[in-house]
Amino acid sequence: MSHEKLYVDNSSTIALVKNLVFHDRSKHIDIRFHYLQDCITNKEVKVKHVKTQDQVVNIFSRPLKYNVFAKIRNMLGVIKKSRLMRDVKSKLEFSFSEQ
């Protein structure tokens, strides 16, 4: 049975979902947490730690320094507009030269 990977950058959250014993601080937890914990117990989901600077979702939710933005943009496979325009222009020139 394959499992989905959930990448989390908060080690306290990982410890909480892996530990079946609830602590005093965690008694008012959203129902979605219990569902996630069931999925982990049933080995449907595997939680993995990822460094905050490598968390891809940050590109959509946080202001980032340019170097971090560029790194995550590349992880997503998005290319710069200037590169895209250069590639399109060279393909157009190639197709016209064939005629």
Side-chain angles (χ1 to χ4, degrees):
M1 174 186 224
S2 66
H3 56 267
E4 297 297 322
K5 292 179 186 159
L6 180 63
Y7 295 99
V8 180
D9 63 355
N10 186 318
S11 55
S12 296
T13 301
I14 294 172
L16 190 60
V17 296
K18 288 186 174 182
N19 187 359
L20 297 177
V21 178
F22 292 109
H23 303 286
D24 289 337
R25 290 181 167 178
S26 60
K27 58 184 172 179
H28 298 291
I29 294 182
D30 194 294
I31 192 73
R32 290 174 289 182
F33 169 81
H34 297 290
Y35 174 74
L36 179 59
Q37 196 171 45
D38 289 342
C39 290
I40 291 168
T41 303
N42 296 334
K43 299 186 188 309
E44 297 169 11
V45 173
K46 186 171 184 173
V47 179
K48 300 200 67 122
H49 184 265
V50 64
K51 294 178 187 176
T52 301
Q53 61 265 27
D54 296 333
Q55 184 67 285
V56 176
V57 73
N58 287 345
I59 201 168
F60 303 113
S61 62
R62 296 192 175 142
L64 302 170
K65 292 183 179 178
Y66 181 77
N67 61 338
V68 177
F69 173 81
K71 177 183 173 186
I72 293 175
R73 181 187 62 201
N74 290 338
M75 291 168 68
L76 288 170
V78 178
I79 60 173
K80 288 183 179 180
K81 183 179 177 183
S82 60
R83 181 176 168 198
L84 176 65
M85 296 305 289
R86 185 177 63 238
D87 290 348
V88 168
K89 185 178 177 184
S90 66
K91 287 182 181 178
L92 285 173
E93 289 172 355
F94 178 75
S95 66
F96 284 122
S97 65
E98 288 182 340
Q99 295 176 352

